[in-house]
Amino acid sequence: MKARELSVPGAVEFTPTRYPDDRGLFVSTFEERSAGPLFPVRQASQSLSRRGVVRGVHYTAVSPGTEKYVHCPRGSALDLVVDLRVGSPAFGTWDSVVLDDRSFRAVYIPPGVGHAFVALEDDTVMSYLLSTGYVAEHELAVSVLDPELGLPIPRDITPVLSERDRLALTLAEAAAEGMLPLFAHPQENR
């Protein structure tokens, strides 16, 4: 498994080795020896989306926040990580990775970093390992359509958003309301 640090500090893309043969394919979507120790998993979740669904930018504001390990076992998605941590040298910046059922890439998202994705085809499944369980009142969102973020939603996609994501504040509004997480060095988050 190859690891590549993304431009958002602490976020990492993982590309596993694929083992195809005449029966099909075998792949390990997580390997501790390559990726390092995984956080204690408290929840595993999946979403199913049609082409054009955009979910996010979601984050957990409660300290220490939620760590995520995300991959796409079916379909394809443009996965987006956004640095929402006040005080981070990369505050407001983002990076993206195409996750799909051909490369089986995965992304690690540290606490305080927002996550979004755009489903690039019908029946796209995203699989998440999470360090905390879902608590609705702790889950927040910043607008994926915030022009100041300038997220790269493909031009041929008309975003399909949930009501929560349609009503999400811009990054500047969330900052003014004091709703964003604070930056901490990675070792302080565990």
Side-chain angles (χ1 to χ4, degrees):
M1 180 173 285
K2 296 177 187 172
R4 178 178 72 91
E5 290 189 29
L6 300 177
S7 61
V8 172
V12 181
E13 169 196 273
F14 296 98
T15 303
T17 302
R18 300 168 58 244
Y19 300 97
D21 63 23
D22 60 347
R23 300 168 297 162
L25 172 79
F26 179 83
V27 64
S28 294
T29 56
F30 175 79
E31 294 176 359
E32 185 174 29
R33 65 189 167 105
S34 300
L38 188 62
F39 49 81
V41 175
R42 301 287 185 246
Q43 183 171 320
S45 301
Q46 287 191 340
S47 65
L48 173 66
S49 301
R50 64 184 166 101
R51 177 179 162 75
V53 167
V54 180
R55 297 182 191 255
V57 175
H58 299 155
Y59 67 101
T60 305
V62 175
S63 185
T66 301
E67 294 175 83
K68 297 178 183 178
Y69 189 85
V70 182
H71 76 280
C72 179
R74 184 169 75 195
S76 64
L78 178 64
D79 201 67
L80 302 159
V81 294
V82 182
D83 198 334
L84 303 176
R85 301 167 294 185
V86 174
S88 168
F91 178 76
T93 65
W94 55 267
D95 206 342
S96 65
V97 175
V98 173
L99 302 181
D100 59 35
D101 58 8
R102 293 166 291 285
S103 69
F104 293 96
R105 285 185 196 96
V107 174
Y108 167 76
I109 303 155
V113 171
H115 178 247
F117 73 85
V118 180
L120 300 175
E121 59 187 86
D122 287 339
D123 297 321
T124 292
V125 174
M126 294 292 281
S127 180
Y128 310 78
L129 297 177
L130 307 162
S131 65
T132 62
Y134 179 80
V135 179
E137 58 269 18
H138 296 167
E139 298 297 320
L140 301 172
V142 167
S143 176
V144 73
L145 302 176
D146 181 347
E148 295 215 16
L149 286 176
L151 298 177
I153 296 174
R155 292 181 190 264
D156 64 336
I157 294 220
T158 301
V160 178
L161 302 171
S162 69
E163 181 177 0
R164 170 189 174 201
D165 291 341
R166 275 194 312 276
L167 299 175
L169 300 176
T170 66
L171 182 62
E173 291 168 337
E177 295 286 327
M179 298 174 63
L180 297 176
L182 299 176
F183 180 72
H185 294 285
Q187 63 272 20
E188 295 174 20
N189 290 324
R190 291 204 174 186

